[in-house]
Every structure is written in C-alpha cells, then in structure tokens.
mmCIF file of all heavy atoms in Angstrom:
data_model
loop_
_atom_site.group_PDB
_atom_site.id
_atom_site.type_symbol
_atom_site.label_atom_id
_atom_site.label_comp_id
_atom_site.label_asym_id
_atom_site.label_seq_id
_atom_site.Cartn_x
_atom_site.Cartn_y
_atom_site.Cartn_z
ATOM 1 N N GLU A 1 -11.392 -42.667 10.485
ATOM 2 C CA GLU A 1 -12.732 -42.916 9.952
ATOM 3 C C GLU A 1 -12.885 -44.418 9.685
ATOM 4 O O GLU A 1 -12.007 -45.066 9.134
ATOM 5 C CB GLU A 1 -12.920 -42.050 8.646
ATOM 6 C CG GLU A 1 -14.185 -42.405 7.879
ATOM 7 C CD GLU A 1 -15.401 -41.905 8.717
ATOM 8 O OE1 GLU A 1 -15.463 -40.697 9.083
ATOM 9 O OE2 GLU A 1 -16.340 -42.776 8.983
ATOM 10 N N ARG A 2 -14.077 -44.864 10.060
ATOM 11 C CA ARG A 2 -14.352 -46.341 9.927
ATOM 12 C C ARG A 2 -15.617 -46.625 9.101
ATOM 13 O O ARG A 2 -15.981 -47.764 8.935
ATOM 14 C CB ARG A 2 -14.573 -47.014 11.324
ATOM 15 C CG ARG A 2 -13.220 -47.142 12.095
ATOM 16 C CD ARG A 2 -12.274 -48.084 11.467
ATOM 17 N NE ARG A 2 -11.034 -48.237 12.235
ATOM 18 C CZ ARG A 2 -9.937 -47.576 12.006
ATOM 19 N NH1 ARG A 2 -9.953 -46.606 11.068
ATOM 20 N NH2 ARG A 2 -8.905 -47.734 12.711
ATOM 21 N N HIS A 3 -16.138 -45.620 8.500
ATOM 22 C CA HIS A 3 -17.376 -45.812 7.755
ATOM 23 C C HIS A 3 -17.325 -45.177 6.354
ATOM 24 O O HIS A 3 -18.135 -44.281 6.020
ATOM 25 C CB HIS A 3 -18.576 -45.178 8.545
ATOM 26 C CG HIS A 3 -18.733 -45.716 9.913
ATOM 27 N ND1 HIS A 3 -19.183 -47.081 10.142
ATOM 28 C CD2 HIS A 3 -18.422 -45.246 11.159
ATOM 29 C CE1 HIS A 3 -19.196 -47.303 11.452
ATOM 30 N NE2 HIS A 3 -18.736 -46.254 12.098
ATOM 31 N N TYR A 4 -16.404 -45.601 5.610
ATOM 32 C CA TYR A 4 -16.244 -45.094 4.226
ATOM 33 C C TYR A 4 -17.269 -45.678 3.275
ATOM 34 O O TYR A 4 -17.592 -45.134 2.229
ATOM 35 C CB TYR A 4 -14.823 -45.357 3.717
ATOM 36 C CG TYR A 4 -13.777 -44.433 4.248
ATOM 37 C CD1 TYR A 4 -12.871 -44.901 5.185
ATOM 38 C CD2 TYR A 4 -13.813 -43.061 3.936
ATOM 39 C CE1 TYR A 4 -11.922 -43.965 5.696
ATOM 40 C CE2 TYR A 4 -12.779 -42.233 4.390
ATOM 41 C CZ TYR A 4 -11.893 -42.674 5.312
ATOM 42 O OH TYR A 4 -10.885 -41.807 5.779
ATOM 43 N N PHE A 5 -17.748 -46.909 3.621
ATOM 44 C CA PHE A 5 -18.645 -47.621 2.633
ATOM 45 C C PHE A 5 -20.052 -47.744 3.246
ATOM 46 O O PHE A 5 -20.269 -48.009 4.412
ATOM 47 C CB PHE A 5 -18.134 -49.012 2.371
ATOM 48 C CG PHE A 5 -16.845 -49.042 1.566
ATOM 49 C CD1 PHE A 5 -15.619 -49.101 2.285
ATOM 50 C CD2 PHE A 5 -16.809 -48.914 0.239
ATOM 51 C CE1 PHE A 5 -14.423 -49.130 1.632
ATOM 52 C CE2 PHE A 5 -15.582 -48.945 -0.508
ATOM 53 C CZ PHE A 5 -14.431 -49.015 0.242
ATOM 54 N N ILE A 6 -21.057 -47.425 2.349
ATOM 55 C CA ILE A 6 -22.426 -47.588 2.708
ATOM 56 C C ILE A 6 -22.850 -49.017 2.590
ATOM 57 O O ILE A 6 -22.595 -49.626 1.479
ATOM 58 C CB ILE A 6 -23.327 -46.676 1.895
ATOM 59 C CG1 ILE A 6 -22.970 -45.183 2.102
ATOM 60 C CG2 ILE A 6 -24.798 -46.877 2.152
ATOM 61 C CD1 ILE A 6 -23.675 -44.248 1.132
ATOM 62 N N ARG A 7 -23.458 -49.551 3.584
ATOM 63 C CA ARG A 7 -23.887 -51.007 3.550
ATOM 64 C C ARG A 7 -25.354 -51.010 2.939
ATOM 65 O O ARG A 7 -26.198 -50.377 3.436
ATOM 66 C CB ARG A 7 -23.853 -51.622 4.911
ATOM 67 C CG ARG A 7 -22.397 -51.745 5.454
ATOM 68 C CD ARG A 7 -22.407 -52.472 6.741
ATOM 69 N NE ARG A 7 -21.013 -52.693 7.194
ATOM 70 C CZ ARG A 7 -20.232 -53.680 6.730
ATOM 71 N NH1 ARG A 7 -20.660 -54.557 5.866
ATOM 72 N NH2 ARG A 7 -18.999 -53.801 7.224
ATOM 73 N N GLY A 8 -25.398 -51.742 1.828
ATOM 74 C CA GLY A 8 -26.725 -51.870 1.204
ATOM 75 C C GLY A 8 -27.357 -53.220 1.443
ATOM 76 O O GLY A 8 -27.349 -53.740 2.606
ATOM 77 N N GLY A 9 -27.940 -53.855 0.396
ATOM 78 C CA GLY A 9 -28.562 -55.082 0.511
ATOM 79 C C GLY A 9 -27.555 -56.288 0.695
ATOM 80 O O GLY A 9 -26.387 -56.038 0.852
ATOM 81 N N LEU A 10 -28.137 -57.484 0.670
ATOM 82 C CA LEU A 10 -27.339 -58.638 0.949
ATOM 83 C C LEU A 10 -26.183 -58.834 -0.090
ATOM 84 O O LEU A 10 -25.031 -59.118 0.296
ATOM 85 C CB LEU A 10 -28.208 -59.936 0.862
ATOM 86 C CG LEU A 10 -27.504 -61.290 1.055
ATOM 87 C CD1 LEU A 10 -26.818 -61.362 2.395
ATOM 88 C CD2 LEU A 10 -28.465 -62.433 0.852
ATOM 89 N N LEU A 11 -26.450 -58.596 -1.334
ATOM 90 C CA LEU A 11 -25.447 -58.672 -2.352
ATOM 91 C C LEU A 11 -24.315 -57.728 -2.207
ATOM 92 O O LEU A 11 -23.130 -57.991 -2.273
ATOM 93 C CB LEU A 11 -26.047 -58.581 -3.759
ATOM 94 C CG LEU A 11 -25.114 -58.851 -4.978
ATOM 95 C CD1 LEU A 11 -24.615 -60.276 -4.942
ATOM 96 C CD2 LEU A 11 -25.854 -58.525 -6.286
ATOM 97 N N ASN A 12 -24.688 -56.473 -1.804
ATOM 98 C CA ASN A 12 -23.661 -55.446 -1.617
ATOM 99 C C ASN A 12 -22.874 -55.798 -0.319
ATOM 100 O O ASN A 12 -21.579 -55.666 -0.382
ATOM 101 C CB ASN A 12 -24.395 -54.092 -1.353
ATOM 102 C CG ASN A 12 -23.362 -53.034 -0.916
ATOM 103 O OD1 ASN A 12 -23.323 -52.698 0.288
ATOM 104 N ND2 ASN A 12 -22.640 -52.472 -1.870
ATOM 105 N N ARG A 13 -23.435 -56.296 0.677
ATOM 106 C CA ARG A 13 -22.750 -56.674 1.944
ATOM 107 C C ARG A 13 -21.802 -57.863 1.625
ATOM 108 O O ARG A 13 -20.745 -57.957 2.162
ATOM 109 C CB ARG A 13 -23.696 -57.000 3.061
ATOM 110 C CG ARG A 13 -24.462 -55.803 3.557
ATOM 111 C CD ARG A 13 -25.147 -56.061 4.937
ATOM 112 N NE ARG A 13 -25.997 -57.220 4.920
ATOM 113 C CZ ARG A 13 -27.256 -57.147 4.635
ATOM 114 N NH1 ARG A 13 -27.839 -56.000 4.246
ATOM 115 N NH2 ARG A 13 -28.038 -58.239 4.629
ATOM 116 N N THR A 14 -22.210 -58.766 0.731
ATOM 117 C CA THR A 14 -21.393 -59.858 0.353
ATOM 118 C C THR A 14 -20.149 -59.391 -0.378
ATOM 119 O O THR A 14 -19.015 -59.867 -0.081
ATOM 120 C CB THR A 14 -22.152 -60.877 -0.550
ATOM 121 O OG1 THR A 14 -23.311 -61.373 0.168
ATOM 122 C CG2 THR A 14 -21.275 -62.007 -0.916
ATOM 123 N N PHE A 15 -20.354 -58.435 -1.297
ATOM 124 C CA PHE A 15 -19.204 -57.936 -1.991
ATOM 125 C C PHE A 15 -18.272 -57.163 -1.083
ATOM 126 O O PHE A 15 -17.067 -57.179 -1.225
ATOM 127 C CB PHE A 15 -19.670 -57.004 -3.162
ATOM 128 C CG PHE A 15 -20.069 -57.792 -4.389
ATOM 129 C CD1 PHE A 15 -21.303 -57.607 -4.965
ATOM 130 C CD2 PHE A 15 -19.194 -58.693 -4.970
ATOM 131 C CE1 PHE A 15 -21.668 -58.280 -6.111
ATOM 132 C CE2 PHE A 15 -19.571 -59.340 -6.160
ATOM 133 C CZ PHE A 15 -20.802 -59.139 -6.702
ATOM 134 N N LEU A 16 -18.873 -56.456 -0.057
ATOM 135 C CA LEU A 16 -17.948 -55.743 0.845
ATOM 136 C C LEU A 16 -17.156 -56.738 1.694
ATOM 137 O O LEU A 16 -15.950 -56.451 1.955
ATOM 138 C CB LEU A 16 -18.878 -54.923 1.813
ATOM 139 C CG LEU A 16 -19.349 -53.611 1.250
ATOM 140 C CD1 LEU A 16 -20.358 -52.887 2.221
ATOM 141 C CD2 LEU A 16 -18.241 -52.649 0.924
ATOM 142 N N ALA A 17 -17.720 -57.860 2.042
ATOM 143 C CA ALA A 17 -16.953 -58.883 2.772
ATOM 144 C C ALA A 17 -15.866 -59.425 1.883
ATOM 145 O O ALA A 17 -14.733 -59.625 2.376
ATOM 146 C CB ALA A 17 -17.945 -59.974 3.210
ATOM 147 N N LEU A 18 -16.198 -59.678 0.612
ATOM 148 C CA LEU A 18 -15.104 -60.190 -0.285
ATOM 149 C C LEU A 18 -14.044 -59.135 -0.498
ATOM 150 O O LEU A 18 -12.885 -59.430 -0.692
ATOM 151 C CB LEU A 18 -15.788 -60.516 -1.671
ATOM 152 C CG LEU A 18 -16.708 -61.698 -1.637
ATOM 153 C CD1 LEU A 18 -17.407 -61.883 -2.910
ATOM 154 C CD2 LEU A 18 -15.955 -63.017 -1.298
ATOM 155 N N ASP A 19 -14.454 -57.831 -0.437
ATOM 156 C CA ASP A 19 -13.514 -56.724 -0.595
ATOM 157 C C ASP A 19 -12.519 -56.813 0.503
ATOM 158 O O ASP A 19 -11.289 -56.630 0.339
ATOM 159 C CB ASP A 19 -14.270 -55.408 -0.607
ATOM 160 C CG ASP A 19 -13.392 -54.203 -0.973
ATOM 161 O OD1 ASP A 19 -12.817 -53.626 -0.001
ATOM 162 O OD2 ASP A 19 -13.277 -53.909 -2.124
ATOM 163 N N LYS A 20 -12.967 -56.965 1.687
ATOM 164 C CA LYS A 20 -12.046 -57.088 2.850
ATOM 165 C C LYS A 20 -11.152 -58.303 2.813
ATOM 166 O O LYS A 20 -9.955 -58.162 3.175
ATOM 167 C CB LYS A 20 -12.871 -57.184 4.164
ATOM 168 C CG LYS A 20 -13.556 -55.863 4.554
ATOM 169 C CD LYS A 20 -14.314 -55.960 5.889
ATOM 170 C CE LYS A 20 -14.924 -54.587 6.332
ATOM 171 N NZ LYS A 20 -15.640 -54.726 7.550
ATOM 172 N N ILE A 21 -11.645 -59.416 2.346
ATOM 173 C CA ILE A 21 -10.845 -60.588 2.200
ATOM 174 C C ILE A 21 -9.781 -60.367 1.182
ATOM 175 O O ILE A 21 -8.587 -60.698 1.343
ATOM 176 C CB ILE A 21 -11.715 -61.822 1.834
ATOM 177 C CG1 ILE A 21 -12.689 -62.173 2.931
ATOM 178 C CG2 ILE A 21 -10.873 -63.001 1.437
ATOM 179 C CD1 ILE A 21 -13.740 -63.210 2.600
ATOM 180 N N GLY A 22 -10.134 -59.779 0.058
ATOM 181 C CA GLY A 22 -9.126 -59.448 -1.016
ATOM 182 C C GLY A 22 -8.078 -58.565 -0.494
ATOM 183 O O GLY A 22 -6.873 -58.721 -0.771
ATOM 184 N N ARG A 23 -8.468 -57.524 0.266
ATOM 185 C CA ARG A 23 -7.449 -56.580 0.755
ATOM 186 C C ARG A 23 -6.517 -57.301 1.727
ATOM 187 O O ARG A 23 -5.294 -56.971 1.721
ATOM 188 C CB ARG A 23 -8.162 -55.412 1.450
ATOM 189 C CG ARG A 23 -7.350 -54.203 1.696
ATOM 190 C CD ARG A 23 -8.131 -53.151 2.463
ATOM 191 N NE ARG A 23 -9.399 -52.859 1.735
ATOM 192 C CZ ARG A 23 -9.511 -51.996 0.739
ATOM 193 N NH1 ARG A 23 -8.405 -51.352 0.319
ATOM 194 N NH2 ARG A 23 -10.665 -51.745 0.189
ATOM 195 N N PHE A 24 -6.991 -58.274 2.491
ATOM 196 C CA PHE A 24 -6.141 -58.996 3.432
ATOM 197 C C PHE A 24 -5.157 -59.837 2.654
ATOM 198 O O PHE A 24 -3.993 -59.854 3.034
ATOM 199 C CB PHE A 24 -6.992 -59.852 4.310
ATOM 200 C CG PHE A 24 -6.229 -60.736 5.239
ATOM 201 C CD1 PHE A 24 -5.511 -60.190 6.367
ATOM 202 C CD2 PHE A 24 -6.034 -62.084 4.945
ATOM 203 C CE1 PHE A 24 -4.789 -61.077 7.208
ATOM 204 C CE2 PHE A 24 -5.303 -62.946 5.777
ATOM 205 C CZ PHE A 24 -4.604 -62.372 6.882
ATOM 206 N N ILE A 25 -5.627 -60.561 1.617
ATOM 207 C CA ILE A 25 -4.661 -61.531 0.962
ATOM 208 C C ILE A 25 -3.831 -60.842 -0.077
ATOM 209 O O ILE A 25 -2.874 -61.456 -0.582
ATOM 210 C CB ILE A 25 -5.480 -62.643 0.243
ATOM 211 C CG1 ILE A 25 -6.287 -62.063 -0.872
ATOM 212 C CG2 ILE A 25 -6.338 -63.357 1.315
ATOM 213 C CD1 ILE A 25 -7.022 -63.129 -1.672
ATOM 214 N N ASP A 26 -4.008 -59.492 -0.274
ATOM 215 C CA ASP A 26 -3.236 -58.768 -1.284
ATOM 216 C C ASP A 26 -1.738 -58.874 -0.933
ATOM 217 O O ASP A 26 -0.920 -59.007 -1.880
ATOM 218 C CB ASP A 26 -3.688 -57.313 -1.338
ATOM 219 C CG ASP A 26 -2.982 -56.552 -2.466
ATOM 220 O OD1 ASP A 26 -3.411 -56.606 -3.605
ATOM 221 O OD2 ASP A 26 -1.948 -55.908 -2.143
ATOM 222 N N ARG A 27 -1.416 -58.815 0.252
ATOM 223 C CA ARG A 27 -0.033 -58.789 0.691
ATOM 224 C C ARG A 27 0.690 -60.146 0.353
ATOM 225 O O ARG A 27 1.899 -60.194 0.292
ATOM 226 C CB ARG A 27 0.112 -58.535 2.161
ATOM 227 C CG ARG A 27 -0.387 -59.640 3.027
ATOM 228 C CD ARG A 27 -0.591 -59.200 4.505
ATOM 229 N NE ARG A 27 -1.819 -58.417 4.599
ATOM 230 C CZ ARG A 27 -2.275 -57.933 5.746
ATOM 231 N NH1 ARG A 27 -1.650 -58.128 6.866
ATOM 232 N NH2 ARG A 27 -3.375 -57.163 5.800
ATOM 233 N N PHE A 28 -0.143 -61.164 0.152
ATOM 234 C CA PHE A 28 0.404 -62.524 -0.128
ATOM 235 C C PHE A 28 0.521 -62.812 -1.616
ATOM 236 O O PHE A 28 0.998 -63.887 -1.996
ATOM 237 C CB PHE A 28 -0.346 -63.625 0.599
ATOM 238 C CG PHE A 28 -0.477 -63.320 2.117
ATOM 239 C CD1 PHE A 28 -1.749 -63.028 2.669
ATOM 240 C CD2 PHE A 28 0.697 -63.473 2.954
ATOM 241 C CE1 PHE A 28 -1.792 -62.821 3.999
ATOM 242 C CE2 PHE A 28 0.576 -63.264 4.264
ATOM 243 C CZ PHE A 28 -0.627 -62.936 4.857
ATOM 244 N N ILE A 29 0.114 -61.923 -2.487
ATOM 245 C CA ILE A 29 0.106 -62.192 -3.895
ATOM 246 C C ILE A 29 1.587 -62.184 -4.358
ATOM 247 O O ILE A 29 2.300 -61.215 -4.142
ATOM 248 C CB ILE A 29 -0.639 -61.100 -4.669
ATOM 249 C CG1 ILE A 29 -2.165 -61.211 -4.348
ATOM 250 C CG2 ILE A 29 -0.462 -61.249 -6.174
ATOM 251 C CD1 ILE A 29 -3.020 -60.121 -4.993
ATOM 252 N N PRO A 30 2.036 -63.244 -4.990
ATOM 253 C CA PRO A 30 3.475 -63.329 -5.424
ATOM 254 C C PRO A 30 3.714 -62.141 -6.438
ATOM 255 O O PRO A 30 2.898 -61.750 -7.241
ATOM 256 C CB PRO A 30 3.582 -64.614 -6.183
ATOM 257 C CG PRO A 30 2.441 -65.469 -5.556
ATOM 258 C CD PRO A 30 1.344 -64.548 -5.242
ATOM 259 N N LYS A 31 4.981 -61.659 -6.328
ATOM 260 C CA LYS A 31 5.322 -60.539 -7.184
ATOM 261 C C LYS A 31 5.257 -60.852 -8.617
ATOM 262 O O LYS A 31 4.967 -60.020 -9.462
ATOM 263 C CB LYS A 31 6.711 -60.045 -6.785
ATOM 264 C CG LYS A 31 6.883 -59.325 -5.488
ATOM 265 C CD LYS A 31 8.314 -58.810 -5.236
ATOM 266 C CE LYS A 31 8.387 -58.089 -3.934
ATOM 267 N NZ LYS A 31 9.758 -57.542 -3.657
ATOM 268 N N ALA A 32 5.554 -62.129 -8.973
ATOM 269 C CA ALA A 32 5.544 -62.510 -10.367
ATOM 270 C C ALA A 32 4.122 -62.401 -10.930
ATOM 271 O O ALA A 32 3.936 -61.986 -12.126
ATOM 272 C CB ALA A 32 6.130 -63.943 -10.471
ATOM 273 N N ILE A 33 3.182 -62.802 -10.121
ATOM 274 C CA ILE A 33 1.771 -62.702 -10.573
ATOM 275 C C ILE A 33 1.327 -61.301 -10.770
ATOM 276 O O ILE A 33 0.670 -60.883 -11.728
ATOM 277 C CB ILE A 33 0.779 -63.499 -9.614
ATOM 278 C CG1 ILE A 33 1.049 -64.937 -9.698
ATOM 279 C CG2 ILE A 33 -0.629 -63.164 -9.922
ATOM 280 C CD1 ILE A 33 0.237 -65.780 -8.724
ATOM 281 N N ARG A 34 1.756 -60.464 -9.813
ATOM 282 C CA ARG A 34 1.377 -59.006 -9.917
ATOM 283 C C ARG A 34 2.085 -58.368 -11.136
ATOM 284 O O ARG A 34 1.412 -57.678 -11.901
ATOM 285 C CB ARG A 34 1.786 -58.244 -8.654
ATOM 286 C CG ARG A 34 1.576 -56.749 -8.815
ATOM 287 C CD ARG A 34 0.966 -56.163 -7.587
ATOM 288 N NE ARG A 34 -0.420 -56.639 -7.350
ATOM 289 C CZ ARG A 34 -1.203 -56.241 -6.256
ATOM 290 N NH1 ARG A 34 -0.703 -55.492 -5.333
ATOM 291 N NH2 ARG A 34 -2.409 -56.724 -6.198
ATOM 292 N N GLN A 35 3.246 -58.674 -11.368
ATOM 293 C CA GLN A 35 3.987 -58.160 -12.522
ATOM 294 C C GLN A 35 3.328 -58.608 -13.797
ATOM 295 O O GLN A 35 3.198 -57.870 -14.792
ATOM 296 C CB GLN A 35 5.506 -58.536 -12.486
ATOM 297 C CG GLN A 35 6.272 -57.845 -11.410
ATOM 298 C CD GLN A 35 7.645 -58.420 -11.248
ATOM 299 O OE1 GLN A 35 8.031 -59.406 -11.840
ATOM 300 N NE2 GLN A 35 8.424 -57.771 -10.335
ATOM 301 N N ARG A 36 2.929 -59.901 -13.836
ATOM 302 C CA ARG A 36 2.267 -60.395 -15.014
ATOM 303 C C ARG A 36 0.973 -59.695 -15.291
ATOM 304 O O ARG A 36 0.597 -59.332 -16.388
ATOM 305 C CB ARG A 36 2.008 -61.908 -14.837
ATOM 306 C CG ARG A 36 1.286 -62.616 -16.033
ATOM 307 C CD ARG A 36 1.032 -64.047 -15.663
ATOM 308 N NE ARG A 36 0.017 -64.586 -16.611
ATOM 309 C CZ ARG A 36 -0.763 -65.587 -16.291
ATOM 310 N NH1 ARG A 36 -0.753 -66.126 -15.051
ATOM 311 N NH2 ARG A 36 -1.666 -66.072 -17.123
ATOM 312 N N ALA A 37 0.206 -59.409 -14.250
ATOM 313 C CA ALA A 37 -1.029 -58.720 -14.350
ATOM 314 C C ALA A 37 -0.865 -57.263 -14.811
ATOM 315 O O ALA A 37 -1.574 -56.793 -15.610
ATOM 316 C CB ALA A 37 -1.851 -58.761 -13.014
ATOM 317 N N VAL A 38 0.142 -56.620 -14.217
ATOM 318 C CA VAL A 38 0.475 -55.266 -14.699
ATOM 319 C C VAL A 38 0.809 -55.192 -16.149
ATOM 320 O O VAL A 38 0.323 -54.324 -16.905
ATOM 321 C CB VAL A 38 1.605 -54.626 -13.798
ATOM 322 C CG1 VAL A 38 2.104 -53.292 -14.419
ATOM 323 C CG2 VAL A 38 1.096 -54.439 -12.323
ATOM 324 N N LYS A 39 1.596 -56.195 -16.572
ATOM 325 C CA LYS A 39 1.960 -56.267 -17.962
ATOM 326 C C LYS A 39 0.696 -56.457 -18.884
ATOM 327 O O LYS A 39 0.673 -55.887 -19.942
ATOM 328 C CB LYS A 39 3.043 -57.326 -18.205
ATOM 329 C CG LYS A 39 4.365 -56.993 -17.695
ATOM 330 C CD LYS A 39 5.032 -55.861 -18.521
ATOM 331 C CE LYS A 39 6.415 -55.545 -18.041
ATOM 332 N NZ LYS A 39 6.980 -54.400 -18.792
ATOM 333 N N LYS A 40 -0.151 -57.288 -18.414
ATOM 334 C CA LYS A 40 -1.356 -57.525 -19.186
ATOM 335 C C LYS A 40 -2.231 -56.330 -19.250
ATOM 336 O O LYS A 40 -2.816 -55.980 -20.292
ATOM 337 C CB LYS A 40 -2.144 -58.677 -18.630
ATOM 338 C CG LYS A 40 -3.300 -59.136 -19.513
ATOM 339 C CD LYS A 40 -3.805 -60.472 -19.186
ATOM 340 C CE LYS A 40 -4.915 -60.948 -20.220
ATOM 341 N NZ LYS A 40 -5.432 -62.352 -19.839
ATOM 342 N N ALA A 41 -2.326 -55.509 -18.143
ATOM 343 C CA ALA A 41 -3.093 -54.243 -18.234
ATOM 344 C C ALA A 41 -2.479 -53.285 -19.107
ATOM 345 O O ALA A 41 -3.110 -52.651 -19.926
ATOM 346 C CB ALA A 41 -3.196 -53.706 -16.801
ATOM 347 N N GLU A 42 -1.141 -53.203 -19.036
ATOM 348 C CA GLU A 42 -0.385 -52.292 -19.892
ATOM 349 C C GLU A 42 -0.627 -52.704 -21.387
ATOM 350 O O GLU A 42 -0.825 -51.823 -22.239
ATOM 351 C CB GLU A 42 1.063 -52.348 -19.502
ATOM 352 C CG GLU A 42 1.979 -51.385 -20.288
ATOM 353 C CD GLU A 42 3.397 -51.562 -19.859
ATOM 354 O OE1 GLU A 42 3.718 -52.481 -19.065
ATOM 355 O OE2 GLU A 42 4.236 -50.707 -20.342
#
C-alpha cells in the first residue's frame, strides 16, 4: 500500500513532506540523543 495518508491543503502537504524527511533521518539520530529523549519522556 502506498496511500496511507490523505493529502490535504498546502500546510498538510508541507507537514507530510517534513514527515518523510524526519523518517529518513531517524536512522542517523545518535543513540545517546534517543536515550536522553526516552528518559525525558519517562
């Protein structure tokens, strides 16, 4: 499936683009930063 998200107006499409960018760079987030963020959420 390639159409999980409904495309809305310009703002929504902008956020969807940022969503894709974030998903791409997620693999490059240092483990220390992720652990720090998890600890803060906890």
Side-chain angles (χ1 to χ4, degrees):
E1 176 65 58
R2 289 293 181 268
H3 302 288
Y4 283 109
F5 293 94
I6 298 174
R7 294 186 176 275
L10 176 61
L11 187 59
N12 173 260
R13 293 197 301 273
T14 301
F15 278 125
L16 283 173
L18 292 173
D19 187 269
K20 287 184 178 179
I21 293 171
R23 198 181 304 277
F24 174 76
I25 66 174
D26 185 84
R27 71 196 74 178
F28 303 113
I29 295 176
K31 288 184 179 180
I33 292 179
R34 173 135 295 175
Q35 289 172 354
R36 179 183 163 209
V38 169
K39 285 295 183 183
K40 190 165 184 179
E42 183 183 7

